Amino acid sequence: MASRAVGNIRFAPSKCAPSAGKVEAVHAIERLRWVAQDCWAPAEEVAADAAFALAEVAEEEPSALLPSCRRLLERHPWCGPLWWVAAHLLASPDPAAEAERRAGQLLGDPTEEILAVELVTAGRAVRRGSLADLVGAEVAVVQVEAVSVGAMAVDADQRGMLLAARELDLPVWVVAGVGRVLPRGLWQSMVDRSGGGRGGRAAAAAGSVPRAPSTARSHLSTLEGVVKVVGPNGSRSVESALSAATCPEPAELTGDRGW
């Protein structure tokens, strides 16, 4: 494993060992434990770190891949990119190689560069703020944790701006980087695991939003006011972006196989 990208996992040396040179000796399960405990890193970093750690698990103990994916998702239920990584790994005949591909996509995500180009002609755009900050703006730009048919999960600190944009009838652009646009089945499982239960599954399937699921970090919202989704493949209409979701939906994550 010395030549594998797993060695680049981004943990502080103090977490890994007394010296940075001992990072490679850390067991895959320890790496997974660190990812599970990382509650405040950006979603793409959590998912990339998870991919690197899961690549080791897939090589060293293949039977542990599924329970490892499930445990991580239980700790980070709103992390769309983590669901995306887990789904790809579980559907692949070579999970370790797949993990490296997906981590590379996450770390090389061009979404912010694409957004910057789009904003040049957007007029006054606001990415963070309150009602007062949005007065006179022409577009509100909202980062999502995940998005699917009828609903999205937004970071708690952007929820207020989203509500204010709707009050002002401002068009909303959703920023959905690599791994954040999920197919319906995976989205429904995410809602269930986040506290929605069967009611959440039914509501998500119907395109509505259940009341219960929310955490200190994320909230569910409808797609009301959203006119554009900006992602790694460019700027698209909501319908086009959601229909382009190609993530697999393995039964181990979306069905009733003992989870």
Side-chain angles (χ1 to χ4, degrees):
M1 292 295 292
S3 62
R4 185 172 289 280
V6 172
N8 293 328
I9 195 165
R10 298 176 307 285
F11 294 123
S14 61
K15 287 184 179 180
C16 299
S19 66
K22 295 185 180 180
V23 172
E24 289 294 334
V26 177
H27 193 277
I29 298 302
E30 288 300 315
R31 293 180 186 271
L32 289 171
R33 195 168 288 128
W34 295 327
V35 175
Q37 293 171 352
D38 193 354
C39 297
W40 299 106
E44 64 275 11
E45 291 186 11
V46 170
D49 286 347
F52 288 142
L54 290 167
E56 285 197 64
V57 171
E59 288 197 331
E60 296 175 7
E61 194 174 349
S63 63
L65 179 61
L66 175 58
S68 296
C69 288
R70 287 174 169 176
R71 295 297 83 76
L72 286 179
L73 291 170
E74 287 170 353
R75 292 301 300 267
H76 298 286
W78 285 119
C79 185
L82 182 56
W83 283 90
W84 179 82
V85 164
H88 276 288
L89 267 59
L90 293 173
S92 173
D94 187 350
E98 187 73 14
E100 289 192 12
R101 282 194 293 272
R102 301 308 166 184
Q105 287 181 267
L106 287 162
L107 298 178
D109 187 356
T111 296
E112 284 298 321
E113 289 79 4
I114 293 170
L115 176 63
V117 173
E118 290 289 314
L119 289 176
V120 170
T121 57
R124 181 168 174 257
V126 176
R127 300 194 68 173
R128 293 187 181 276
S130 61
L131 181 62
D133 298 303
L134 287 171
V135 173
E138 295 179 66
V139 64
V141 182
V142 176
Q143 171 77 52
V144 297
E145 300 290 308
V147 60
S148 189
V149 178
M152 57 186 176
V154 298
D155 194 278
D157 66 4
Q158 290 213 301
R159 182 169 179 262
M161 189 186 79
L162 177 61
L163 296 175
R166 288 170 176 166
E167 184 174 335
L168 294 171
D169 201 25
L170 275 180
V172 175
W173 291 7
V174 160
V175 182
V178 170
R180 294 174 192 257
V181 179
L182 301 179
R184 188 188 297 271
L186 211 59
W187 167 267
Q188 290 172 348
S189 291
M190 185 187 77
V191 171
D192 286 351
R193 286 290 146 186
S194 302
R198 292 184 179 180
R201 177 177 288 271
S208 60
V209 178
R211 294 180 183 177
S214 65
T215 67
R217 177 168 174 157
S218 299
H219 293 267
L220 280 182
S221 173
T222 66
L223 298 180
E224 177 189 350
V226 177
V227 299
K228 180 183 294 190
V229 177
V230 182
N233 296 315
S235 172
R236 300 185 177 190
S237 68
V238 176
E239 295 77 12
S240 176
L242 297 182
S243 65
T246 57
C247 181
E249 301 178 83
E252 292 86 352
L253 296 182
T254 61
D256 298 317
R257 295 191 178 178
W259 192 15

